[in-house]
Amino acid sequence: MIELPPHFGYRMTMLTEPTTQFYAICWLLAIVISITLHELAHGWAAVRMGDDTPLHAGRLTGNPIVHMGPFSLIAMLFIGIAWGQMPIDPSRLRGRHAEALVAAAGPAANLILAIAALSLLGILGRFGVLVDDNQVAENATIFLWVMGSANLLLMLFNLLPIPPLDGSHILATYNRPYRDFFADPSKQGFALLAFIFAWMIFSPIVVPPVLTAATAYLDLLAG
């Protein structure tokens, strides 16, 4: 069995410990990489569906500053919250399902990253690559675990049907009353409250079972 880090995320009071410092660095790297690829997936999907706005806006790049912006990066460093953005013109998308597919592309990218990271961690554990008691093995375990777990959580959070998350765009594509409700400017306050409520309950309700499922998947691969 692979020995995993004892917690997801980090506490500022523990940053004097070398392991926790590395854990924090892995968390920051995982978020930056994941959000960047998440937004790129939106952009690539939009171009494939007929909207070249991301291309003309210069957003099909791997530069995280372009996708996240300085304020998002600063917020991530100090309060642990980050976000990204991809300019898309829904009116230029082709096909009835186009907007939903573009919205789903971001979470799909997170799912692929999660499966790749956790599968690699499980396979390396199965063949004994990470069982040796050395710093390289420990660091590789932490990074792959954080990358896999972070992407699972990002995928699930973004699929919540609450504006401005991707799940709201997917649901709005197939549910006209829902689309009209949140398109009403007078409902923006309700959308903000719903988002804040979802953010508050997501961690205690969703995180524990997701991490348990990820651990079970690793144990299955590691044999």
Side-chain angles (χ1 to χ4, degrees):
M1 180 181 294
I2 300 172
E3 184 177 350
L4 297 172
H7 60 287
F8 182 82
Y10 59 89
R11 297 198 299 269
M12 296 299 292
T13 55
M14 297 176 61
L15 287 180
T16 55
E17 301 176 9
T19 300
T20 308
Q21 290 173 354
F22 182 76
Y23 199 99
I25 292 172
C26 288
W27 162 256
L28 296 175
L29 284 175
I31 294 300
V32 170
I33 293 171
S34 302
I35 290 180
T36 299
L37 294 178
H38 177 106
E39 298 302 332
L40 274 175
H42 285 314
W44 288 330
V47 172
R48 289 290 300 272
M49 295 293 172
D51 178 23
D52 57 1
T53 301
L55 185 61
H56 290 303
R59 303 299 285 269
L60 295 185
T61 172
N63 186 349
I65 297 178
V66 172
H67 297 291
M68 300 177 66
F71 187 69
S72 175
L73 292 170
I74 292 172
M76 179 183 64
L77 289 173
F78 287 97
I79 60 177
I81 298 175
W83 59 90
Q85 188 176 16
M86 176 63 67
I88 293 171
D89 184 355
S91 66
R92 305 181 69 177
L93 297 173
R94 297 191 302 264
R96 179 177 180 271
H97 308 288
E99 190 171 354
L101 291 173
V102 171
N110 293 132
L111 178 60
I112 293 172
L113 286 171
I115 293 175
L118 294 175
S119 297
L120 180 58
L121 180 56
I123 292 171
L124 291 177
R126 184 180 187 86
F127 291 98
V129 177
L130 300 178
V131 297
D132 294 333
D133 186 16
N134 62 72
Q135 195 63 47
V136 173
E138 180 181 350
N139 289 346
T141 299
I142 292 174
F143 178 75
L144 291 173
W145 168 250
V146 170
M147 179 63 77
S149 302
N151 274 282
L152 280 178
L153 295 172
L154 284 171
M155 177 197 68
L156 292 173
F157 184 71
N158 275 283
L159 286 175
L160 293 177
I162 301 170
L165 300 175
D166 297 323
S168 68
H169 296 286
I170 296 173
L171 181 58
T173 301
Y174 303 106
N175 190 307
R176 184 62 180 270
Y178 174 90
R179 188 186 191 105
D180 293 341
F181 179 84
F182 282 110
D184 186 344
S186 65
K187 302 298 191 299
Q188 299 307 306
F190 176 82
L192 178 60
L193 290 176
F195 179 83
I196 294 174
F197 179 74
W199 177 266
M200 292 175 60
I201 68 171
F202 184 82
S203 181
I205 294 179
V206 178
V207 172
V210 168
L211 298 187
T212 300
T215 303
Y217 177 66
L218 287 178
D219 291 341
L220 178 64
L221 289 178

